[in-house]
Amino acid sequence: MRFKVVAFDVDGTLYSNTAMYLRTLPFALRRLPLLKAFGRVRRELREMRPIENFHRTQAELLARKRGISPEAAARLIQEVFYGRWERIVRRVRLFPHVPETL
């Protein structure tokens, strides 16, 4: 049997939630309205099935909430959440022995 995906509940399992919150707090405070809107979008997406094109649908939902074009929303999502947010979270230290265990 070949695995296609391995998923982990990372928050609080692979690293400290407290460390992650402290690391991301400045980022979140500067973007609070966007984070709230994106959170609502993600909750809506969890209720939709099937989703033909996840990224396009996500951008369209955010665009409506923010009053911008879907293209601008897609760029914003890519830059902020798949760019800046990821770079910040990558700097959160893992618990001891996580890399060896995985």
Side-chain angles (χ1 to χ4, degrees):
M1 181 165 115
R2 294 184 64 192
F3 293 98
K4 291 184 179 183
V5 174
V6 176
F8 296 94
D9 175 17
V10 295
D11 297 340
T13 303
L14 303 181
Y15 55 79
S16 161
N17 274 342
T18 302
M20 193 268 299
Y21 295 146
L22 290 173
R23 175 74 69 179
T24 60
L25 186 62
F27 171 91
L29 290 175
R30 285 191 303 270
R31 295 167 183 86
L32 198 53
L34 176 60
L35 288 173
K36 285 182 173 182
F38 192 65
R40 288 192 300 272
V41 165
R42 297 301 288 236
R43 283 190 291 281
E44 286 180 45
L45 288 168
R46 287 186 200 108
E47 302 297 320
M48 298 175 147
R49 294 292 183 267
I51 299 174
E52 186 175 315
N53 185 320
F54 176 82
H55 292 286
R56 183 183 71 223
T57 303
Q58 177 177 253
E60 289 169 353
L61 290 171
L62 185 64
R64 282 188 223 126
K65 293 192 182 324
R66 301 286 292 184
I68 59 178
S69 72
E71 295 78 20
R75 285 191 302 274
L76 191 60
I77 291 167
Q78 185 62 42
E79 178 187 323
V80 174
F81 296 104
Y82 299 130
R84 292 180 191 164
W85 181 266
E86 265 189 34
R87 286 191 299 274
I88 291 168
V89 172
R90 283 185 195 160
R91 293 186 298 216
V92 176
R93 288 188 181 178
L94 298 173
F95 284 131
H97 308 293
V98 167
E100 298 88 348
T101 302
L102 296 178

